[in-house]
Amino acid sequence: MKIDLAERVKRLPPYVFAEMEKLINEKKRQGLDLISLSIGDPDLPPPSFIIDSLKEEVANLKNHNYSFSQGEPDFRQAVADWYKKRFRVDLSQEEVVALIGSKEGLANVARAFVNAGDRVLVPDPSYPVYSNGSTILNDGVPVPLPLLQENDFKPDLEAVNPEKVKMMFLNYPNNPTSATVDKKFLKCAVEFAQENNVILCYDNAYSEITFDGYKAPSILEIDGAMDVAVEFHSCSKTFNMTGDRIAFAVGNKQLINGLTKVKSQIDSGPPVYIQKVAAKALESYKSDEPPDFLKKNNQVYGERRDLLVDRLCQMGFLCEKPKATFYVWLNCKGDSMEFATKLISVGVAVTPGAGFGAYGEKYVRLAVTQPIERIAEACKRMSALFGCADASV
Ligand SMILES: Cc1ncc(COP(=O)(O)O)c(C=O)c1O
């Protein structure tokens, strides 16, 4: 039998990271001590109250049946309460859907609303799911929204041709650039969506990983956003629960209903016990201020970020301290694959920007998801490679 991939699968771009993975595995096989600054997965554990709650909820035999496609009512209420505390946004349970990780929701949302040939605005560089898993795999046409350093990595919406555009993805705090925005920019984005009848999918996965007093807004804080927007959030980065696969989408009821309709044909929601644990995690917020464990988490990331950025500057790179996310987006002044390959030769893995889109080509992403001593060691190796004196010695 001749087995042929569907055309939409063939349209997926080549996987830039595959080459890197091959190189990394080869070096590991050779016994090289590799420091990975390439992974967007926290090395810090979930707080102990989450582990305790998980043990308790798993042990409850009532928590092993199917959930609902839209999620458990208690979980959706906890999400609505969290929105009220954290963003002062009023939501009903009907305006919330539980997700098996926000990646799942981001991938399924286009299936609910995008028709074959519809154009979808996708930031470039960006998390690849918007363009690939969501747009291409649902027969939409991704249209890059360049995120340029000179525009603080914000798209120029005035330059967009809105013809046949059905959907737009935006993500701040941003992966991979770590850029942040204020409400003024979000207001422009909502106005663009309203004027052009475009569904606005706002990915706020990193809203709680912030530094130096910066507080990330929700798109739903903007007047009129409830008419056009759906926002995606996740417990992955906030509570160090990436493997537990629990997240949520909130916003316009018709958009939530459409996403739920698609999901009801595909999955049966996240496990009940995980939703109960996630509800407790969200309830740890007593106000719009993050709970203590999250403040500590962010302090750890902040110290690592300071060390990494200071050392990169000493090596002669132009690099600023980001106000959010655990990423540093470094202008490597050349081909990102070449740069990343060079670093692997000294046992440091970073992510080549080309994997996030054409506009990521001259950048690499470094994640501070390693202990500070390992980051210091990685900097030492980079300094030696670039022929700089290492300030730490
Ligand atoms: C911008 C962004 N959105 C969404 C996700 C997906 O997170 P999850 O599916 O774990 O909720 C990630 C993961 O790295 C991400 O970087």
Side-chain angles (χ1 to χ4, degrees), residues 101-103 106 127 130 171 175 203 205-206 234 236-237 245 247:
S102 57
K103 185 178 190 178
L106 290 161
Y127 183 51
Y130 315 139
N171 160 231
N175 174 17
D203 182 355
Y206 294 90
S234 176
S236 287
K237 323 283 172 170
R245 312 313 297 137

Side-chain angles (χ1 to χ4, degrees), residues 286-297:
K286 301 301 169 206
S287 67
D288 65 339
E289 277 298 302
D292 284 347
F293 77 86
L294 192 50
K295 283 188 189 152
K296 278 188 205 137
N297 247 19

